[in-house]
Amino acid sequence: QVQLVESGGGLVQPGGSVKLTCTISNLSLENYGVGWFRQGPGKEPEAVSCISSWRDGNAHYVDSVRGRFTVSRGKNAVYLQMDSLKPEESGLYFCAVRSPFYGSSCPKKLNDYSGWGQGTQVTVSS
């Protein structure tokens, strides 16, 4: 059974940084793409960043985070480094996997992915 477990969230001050980790088990990641989503209170999940193909490692970002967030991959894990955080970026962050995709942007909907984790909470507040 595929498992995705996010960690690294917490309370961070505006302008601060946090690095999230998504540990993925029971999956051959070289055949998949990975995405990061954020869900604010009462809102639908929104795509933040993605790696379209694990083999290629091509990273994509939504416009609002480009230049501040960095997605990377490790052994059975994907990371999201978030810098210069803003209060409106608070929310539940979770990772998701799906078959590789090609293009210049991330799939926008969580249902475009085949599986996702429970998430880790990030609160940006002073």
Side-chain angles (χ1 to χ4, degrees):
Q1 182 178 354
V2 177
Q3 286 189 321
L4 296 89
V5 179
E6 301 87 347
S7 61
L11 177 65
V12 59
Q13 291 190 341
S17 299
V18 68
K19 185 174 183 178
L20 306 182
T21 299
C22 173
T23 303
I24 304 171
S25 305
N26 304 320
L27 192 67
S28 180
L29 283 170
E30 64 179 18
N31 298 317
Y32 285 82
V34 182
W36 280 99
F37 282 79
R38 172 177 63 231
Q39 186 171 21
K43 297 183 178 180
E44 293 292 318
E46 57 178 340
V48 174
S49 179
C50 61
I51 296 176
S52 55
S53 167
W54 195 266
R55 293 181 187 232
D56 298 336
N58 293 324
H60 305 286
Y61 305 90
V62 296
D63 289 343
S64 62
V65 308
R66 188 173 291 112
R68 297 186 296 116
F69 288 17
T70 304
V71 62
S72 60
R73 54 196 172 143
K75 183 174 175 61
N76 298 323
V78 60
Y79 310 100
L80 185 66
Q81 174 69 42
M82 304 189 292
D83 299 321
S84 302
L85 281 160
K86 305 174 183 179
E88 57 266 35
E89 293 173 330
S90 297
L92 186 67
Y93 283 75
F94 47 96
C95 57
V97 293
R98 56 158 287 161
S99 55
F101 50 93
Y102 303 95
S104 59
S105 62
C106 300
K108 296 184 184 300
K109 297 182 179 180
L110 188 58
N111 286 337
D112 292 329
Y113 290 77
S114 54
W116 48 88
Q118 295 297 310
T120 184
Q121 179 69 34
V122 175
T123 301
V124 186
S125 175
S126 56

